[in-house]
Each structure stands twice: as structure tokens, then as C-alpha cells.
Amino acid sequence: YSKSIVNFLIREYDKFLGGEHPNNIFHIEHILPQKMTLEWKKHFSEEDHKKYVHTFANLIPLTQKLNIKASNKTFENKKTEIKENAFFKTTRQLFDKYKEWNIESLEERSNILANWALNQWKL
């Protein structure tokens, strides 16, 4: 998350999906938030949180306005508030695909993103 390549990867993945980009400015939303709440603790242990919170699979692009709205809310609340208003195709697709955000969802998305990156930048 703290590496500058993250913005590049998120932008490139959204372009790959056919997303539109009138400018390159976006905010990064952590689906599993950086600060755990009691609701999130039902699905992720402290160890799980440390392992997954800053992974590529847990990050989506949002406008500043939607990023502020998302904050530490539950996945269900984020989905309700963001899905219909999300500018980025990556974000819309994620909320369409997953009914809940848990370790299995994160690992599945991680595999999808890893396969995409390996095909995108073959050695």
C-alpha cells in the first residue's frame, strides 16, 4: 500500500477492465479498513488484519467523496453506499462479485489480480 507502484497497478487494472479515466486522481480505499471495528473483528483476527489490510487485493480506487463515506464501515454498508455511485469499474465489479468480504474473498481476488499481473507483464 505504501509503495508508489500501487497507484499504477490500481489504475492499470481498472483500464484493463475497460474503466474510464478522465484524470489520474483517485483515492485508495481499504475494503478491510485500516482500523478494525467490532463488526470487522467477526471476520478477521488481528493477525489476519495485519496480513491482509495493505494487500493489493484489499485495495480499490474511489473518488475522495466516496472514500470519506466508506471509512471503517462494514462491507455491506460500503456496498450499499458506494456500488451505484462508484466511478471506477474495478470498484463496481468488486461489489457486484462479492456478497461479503472475508479471507476467502480476499484470497480469491488476490489470485485473480496475480494472474492478471503475470499475463500483463510476461517475462
Side-chain angles (χ1 to χ4, degrees), residues 13 56-59 90 108-118:
Y13 186 66
F56 183 26
N58 190 51
L59 306 176
T90 304
E108 178 184 339
R109 186 164 191 252
S110 182
N111 288 328
I112 290 167
L113 293 172
N115 287 329
W116 164 76
L118 289 171

Side-chain angles (χ1 to χ4, degrees), residues 22-84:
N23 64 47
N24 289 327
I25 300 170
F26 61 88
H27 289 251
I28 297 174
E29 166 64 15
H30 290 75
I31 303 162
L32 168 64
Q34 295 181 71
K35 294 180 183 175
M36 289 284 278
T37 64
L38 290 175
E39 195 62 36
W40 281 102
K41 288 179 181 181
K42 292 178 184 176
H43 304 284
F44 293 90
S45 69
E46 291 294 329
E47 267 185 43
D48 294 334
H49 183 258
K50 286 178 188 174
K51 180 178 179 181
Y52 292 109
V53 70
H54 295 302
T55 61
F56 183 26
N58 190 51
L59 306 176
I60 55 173
L62 283 180
T63 61
Q64 180 179 12
K65 182 179 178 181
L66 286 178
N67 195 29
I68 291 168
K69 273 184 151 182
S71 188
N72 294 336
K73 293 182 178 173
T74 65
F75 183 74
E76 295 79 18
N77 287 342
K78 287 182 184 193
K79 188 173 186 172
T80 301
E81 290 197 25
I82 294 171
K83 183 181 170 187
E84 297 302 319

